Amino acid sequence: MQQPAWPDAEEVARVLGEIKSLPPLVTSGEISSLKSQFAQAARGERFVLHGGDCAESFDSCRPNAITNQLKILLQMSLVLTHASGKRVIRIGRFAGQYAKPRSAEHEVRGGVSLHSYRGDNVNRPEFTAEARTPNPQLLLRGYERSALTLNFIRALVDGGFADLHHPEQWNLDWVSHSPLAAEYTRMVDAIGQGLRFMETLAGVQVHQMQRVDFYTSHECLLLDLEEAQTREVPRRTGWWNLSTHFPWLGARTSQIDGAHAEYLRGIENPIGVKVGPDHHVQDVLSICELLNPTREEGRIVLIHRFGAHQIAAKLPALIDGIASAQCPVLWICDPMHGNTETVIPQSGAGSGVAIKTRKFAHILAELEQAFEIHAAKGSLLGGVHFELSGEDVSECTGGARGLADSDLARAYQTTVDPRLNYEQALEMALLVARRVGRHR
Ligand code: PEP
Ligand code: CO
């Protein structure tokens, strides 16, 4: 399912042959340490923050965009660490999130039918025949962009990323627009005080105490490409997907007898499994059994994305099913993909044109229910998954500044799904923190 209609099979084989011969992007050691951290998160000892673009684009492989993405993830993780008292595992949807599943093979505009845009690894978003024709050379460009992105991330992590820990450096102008301004200010002040106390005690700056790790992830979609980067490594058993730490199985490709499940069953990486309202509990149990027959802890992360209006009806039975099958899983809530809607703004720039968006209130409502349902069932929500940008985009509505449909056209940049912007993402982290907070 979801494989591109490449026009020239020989060229695809040549490109994949080259990718096979190039160095891996991540190591098996990093992958196994992430897996053991997932096992800890499933026991409640850590919390996961998984976020980034819906579709990364080659054009946004730029220093500022990458720095801003790390910055928002780091700031959110500090807010969550402070509230939960747990170390946060930071995972980006980056350095390889270049392929997208699509519900239709073709897109029709004004009577013209072209291939749907399937991510920058496959074709380009512009609506021209040339841009939309799948081009295997893009796979090489994607491999290179992933390496460039990861190289810069590793460099930032090793130095130069220091001052971002302190809330004095954060952009908090938006806070005053919220009815919760006083509470947000108290939370942020407490984080600053906590950091200063720790630094005084240790006699060093916080960034010198502990390395800030970021792990990478992307949807495991283009199987030939994933396979070209799947290797054996010295002194370890099994096959490792060395293009990313954490591949996930998308909601559209999780058929039990499908090729994606078959591929993923053969690799050692931890695997994310998206679960939506159309999945039957029995099918999810079968996928867990197939991917994790030995019931290894940290191997499976169930990422549920039911939508604010369906989670209450769907999640409890899934939790019961997993508990009775005794599959060890880490639960994460993706409050984005079940809450997408199409609106036609009636005023502002771009009015009259249909646009995909999500409401901040729906995203929050799904998350709040997720925490409650897991707690009521004696289960544990071990993390959150967001589509977000470190930039001032206008793709989701709501939040402290109350973005409206008529604001969407101002800075609508995503090529696929709408993301929380910098302010909305930080606000969401503060709201999640209120819920998981020890101090509530
Ligand atoms: C995504 O994460 O961008 C995505 C397509 O999600 P899902 O498979 O859950 O719809
Ligand atoms: Co998406």
Side-chain angles (χ1 to χ4, degrees):
M1 305 275 287
Q2 298 286 344
Q3 303 307 292
W6 302 112
D8 180 348
E10 274 174 29
E11 194 186 358
V12 177
R14 265 196 309 279
V15 163
L16 292 171
E18 183 161 356
I19 291 174
K20 272 194 179 106
S21 68
L22 291 168
L25 298 175
V26 304
T27 67
S28 58
E30 293 168 341
I31 294 170
S32 33
S33 77
L34 178 60
K35 206 195 263 180
S36 34
Q37 291 184 22
F38 279 155
Q40 293 170 345
R43 296 194 293 269
E45 297 159 15
R46 291 186 186 248
F47 193 75
V48 173
L49 172 64
H50 189 191
D53 295 322
C54 178
E56 257 183 315
S57 75
F58 292 175
D59 290 345
S60 60
C61 182
R62 297 280 180 269
N64 278 350
I66 296 168
T67 311
N68 287 340
Q69 187 79 268
L70 291 198
K71 185 165 139 183
I72 183 62
L73 289 172
L74 175 64
Q75 294 177 358
M76 292 172 83
S77 75
L78 287 169
V79 168
L80 294 170
T81 300
H82 185 260
S84 66
K86 295 174 188 176
R87 290 166 76 182
V88 171
I89 307 170
R90 300 172 204 85
I91 310 167
R93 292 173 59 116
F94 52 45
Q97 176 55 13
Y98 290 125
K100 297 305 300 173
R102 301 318 301 253
S103 34
E105 183 67 38
H106 291 92
E107 182 181 342
V108 181
R109 284 194 208 171
V112 179
S113 167
L114 298 175
H115 287 290
S116 294
Y117 170 64
R118 289 186 170 274
D120 277 8
N121 258 345
V122 177
N123 54 6
R124 310 306 302 256
E126 301 81 53
F127 195 74
T128 66
E130 193 198 345
R132 290 293 178 90
T133 303
N135 174 3
Q137 292 299 327
L138 296 174
L139 295 172
L140 267 173
R141 300 289 86 77
Y143 166 83
E144 291 158 1
R145 285 289 202 279
S146 302
L148 294 171
T149 303
L150 197 49
N151 180 58
F152 189 45
I153 290 171
R154 292 189 192 278
L156 286 170
V157 162
D158 281 340
F161 201 53
D163 47 350
L164 291 176
H165 280 88
H166 281 266
E168 299 85 74
Q169 313 288 340
W170 302 1
N171 173 356
L172 295 166
D173 297 348
W174 58 272
V175 167
S176 60
H177 297 277
S178 166
L180 295 176
E183 191 173 348
Y184 288 157
T185 305
R186 266 199 310 279
M187 292 169 83
V188 169
D189 285 349
I191 296 171
Q193 281 164 17
L195 287 169
R196 280 193 295 279
F197 176 66
M198 208 165 73
E199 288 177 339
T200 310
L201 211 57
V204 288
Q205 298 269 288
V206 62
H207 61 272
Q208 290 156 336
M209 289 177 214
Q210 196 216 329
R211 223 182 99 92
V212 178
D213 285 320
F214 284 91
Y215 291 98
T216 67
S217 69
H218 65 246
E219 178 168 352
C220 172
L221 193 69
L222 303 180
L223 290 174
D224 290 345
L225 176 67
E226 301 296 337
E227 193 178 62
Q229 301 183 87
T230 303
R231 317 218 168 135
E232 292 182 288
V233 297
R235 291 174 295 283
R236 284 184 198 269
T237 53
W239 291 81
W240 301 75
N241 183 328
L242 300 180
S243 72
T244 189
H245 300 110
F246 179 42
W248 78 81
L249 179 62
R252 289 167 195 73
T253 49
S254 59
Q255 301 74 14
I256 182 76
D257 55 353
H260 293 80
E262 175 61 14
Y263 163 79
L264 287 166
R265 141 184 120 76
I267 63 170
E268 300 295 323
N269 305 54
I271 297 167
V273 177
K274 292 280 203 110
V275 184
D278 300 334
H279 288 89
H280 296 294
V281 172
Q282 192 49 52
D283 294 340
V284 183
L285 299 185
S286 306
I287 285 281
C288 290
E289 180 67 38
L290 180 79
L291 297 180
N292 192 18
T294 62
R295 292 181 161 51
E296 181 189 8
E297 290 188 14
R299 160 77 164 168
I300 294 194
V301 180
L302 280 188
I303 307 172
H304 53 75
R305 26 86 82 227
F306 292 116
H309 303 294
Q310 296 203 59
I311 184 169
K314 302 278 180 174
L315 180 57
L318 181 61
I319 296 175
D320 288 343
I322 291 285
S324 64
Q326 296 186 315
C327 308
V329 301
L330 167 63
W331 294 98
I332 289 190
C333 176
D334 162 2
M336 309 301 290
H337 287 89
N339 292 309
T340 316
E341 45 191 283
T342 303
V343 297
I344 303 180
Q346 296 309 314
S347 63
S351 56
V353 178
I355 199 164
K356 263 209 264 187
T357 189
R358 292 164 173 155
K359 289 190 172 71
F360 189 95
H362 288 168
I363 297 167
L364 181 63
E366 178 161 4
L367 270 179
E368 300 242 333
Q369 293 177 76
F371 279 109
E372 260 157 41
I373 295 167
H374 278 286
K377 287 272 173 198
S379 168
L380 192 78
L381 186 66
V384 286
H385 179 120
F386 295 111
E387 287 185 340
L388 56 81
S389 164
E391 314 274 331
D392 180 24
V393 297
S394 58
E395 299 169 4
C396 293
T397 55
R401 281 197 203 268
L403 287 197
D405 290 351
S406 55
D407 296 316
L408 291 172
R410 178 181 58 81
Y412 194 92
Q413 291 164 15
T414 182
T415 46
V416 185
D417 289 339
R419 302 161 295 176
L420 295 171
N421 64 22
Y422 171 83
E423 296 181 348
Q424 290 169 327
L426 194 53
E427 183 176 6
M428 190 61 73
L430 285 162
L431 289 165
V432 173
R434 285 172 95 213
R435 173 152 290 272
V436 300
R438 315 171 264 192
H439 310 300
R440 288 177 67 224

